Amino acid sequence: MNVLINSQEQTVNESACLADVLADYSQNKNIKGSFAVALNAQFIAKGHYAQTTLNAGDKIDIMSPIAGG
Amino acid sequence: MTWSIYGTELTNRLLIGSALYPSPEIMSKAVQASGSQVITLSLKRQNPSEQSGAQIWQHIQKMGLTLLPNTAGCKSADEVFTLAQMSREIFDTNWIKLEVIGDDYNLQPDPIELLKSAEQLIAEGFKVLPYCTDDLVICQRLYDLGCEVIMPWASPIGTGKGLMNPYNLETIRMRLPDATLILDAGIGKPSDACIAMEMGYDGVLLNSAIALADDPILMARAFANAIEAGSQGYLAGIMPQRQTAHASTPTLGTPFWHEQV
């Protein structure tokens, strides 16, 4: 099935949980360091990634620290 | 003299932003030169091809400062709530600089969403530092909701126009004597910060005025001095203005040719 990660379409396993998808995405995109995640604009705490199931069309936002004023 | 934000004691009254510097190294040196103990930062979508965010974050972590994450880019209370929770997880702090923008042209905070957001965040245990306009009633409402710190703007973000409406800012200070007031946004030059401190503001938050200076490190020092001068001036008690001239040199014993016959 397809989901959107930071607005880009990605194909993931039907049975994949959020933790699986994040692990694959981090490895493929060489993402390092701290990040936090929202699923369909709702915050998902790190401790809940493994229990969070996904549906086709879900929107995942991965956010990282940047400079700010 | 110390002051505090939500119980955290500070000796320096400048809160500094981490954006817009020519390089992470200059940012670090400017922050150090400012003496600031609180630094603002933000979150954005992870972009693997862009490493600048990661570099800045590494520099900030090394500085050991108190972090003040913002909710820049949010336009609704719902967006703020999600971003604030993400910030709390990453930065491990309950402090949040609440920004919720109502107009794209002047980046003016949306007062309705601001109040809704503040209430929601406080209920979830956040220590909210709301960025708002210089509207007394909005400031009052935010304070009544439980925001111990209120951060009215001097002028729109990044304009450097300084204190657009000193009357409003003075009135907020006078009407909210127990609130911690931090002037945020629009400051252009050190004297702007000094004026705010002379009004009795507790601190100043700025970014562009230092980061966009020809020499950010020197400008950081200039702001630190201006804030210190303004703070001391306020504490010392500024003389009241008078309508008429008063000689400062004693008139007794003036030269004889001035004596009336």
Side-chain angles (χ1 to χ4, degrees), chain B residues 26-81:
Chain B
I26 291 177
M27 185 269 293
S28 291
K29 286 179 184 167
V31 172
Q32 205 173 8
S34 76
S36 181
Q37 296 162 294
V38 178
I39 189 164
T40 59
L41 70 176
S42 196
L43 285 182
K44 77 163 189 177
R45 278 175 166 180
Q46 173 77 252
N47 179 355
S49 63
E50 194 193 313
Q51 294 302 316
S52 63
Q55 277 181 18
I56 291 275
W57 176 223
Q58 283 165 8
H59 274 79
I60 291 173
Q61 282 176 301
K62 280 183 205 158
M63 287 189 262
L65 303 174
T66 299
L67 304 179
L68 176 55
N70 69 29
T71 60
C74 290
K75 292 184 173 177
S76 70
D78 289 343
E79 289 176 11
V80 165
F81 189 52

Side-chain angles (χ1 to χ4, degrees), chain A residues 7 41 46 61-62 64 66 69, chain B residues 42 44-46 70 82 89:
Chain A
S7 295
K46 267 193 183 7
D61 281 300
I62 305 174
S64 299
I66 55 156
Chain B
S42 196
K44 77 163 189 177
R45 278 175 166 180
Q46 173 77 252
N70 69 29
T82 300
E89 183 179 82

Side-chain angles (χ1 to χ4, degrees), chain A residues 66-69, chain B residues 14-22 27 30-31 39-42 70 97 99 157-158 183-188 204-213 216 219-220 223:
Chain A
I66 55 156
Chain B
L14 168 58
L15 290 76
I16 195 165
S18 55
L20 304 173
Y21 293 87
M27 185 269 293
V31 172
I39 189 164
T40 59
L41 70 176
S42 196
N70 69 29
K97 179 186 168 186
E99 286 186 50
I157 298 172
L183 193 71
D184 180 10
I187 288 168
V204 171
L205 194 163
L206 61 99
N207 190 158
S208 306
I210 290 177
L212 300 182
M219 188 58 88
F223 267 103

Side-chain angles (χ1 to χ4, degrees), chain A residues 33-52:
Chain A
S34 315
F35 63 84
V37 174
L39 174 63
N40 298 323
Q42 301 294 312
F43 167 66
I44 306 291
K46 267 193 183 7
H48 294 163
Y49 292 166
Q51 301 115 276
T52 304

Side-chain angles (χ1 to χ4, degrees), chain B residues 106-108 131 153-162 164 185-187:
Chain B
N106 66 353
L107 301 178
Q108 182 166 336
Y131 160 63
W153 72 2
S155 48
I157 298 172
T159 60
K161 286 182 179 293
M164 282 190 313
I187 288 168

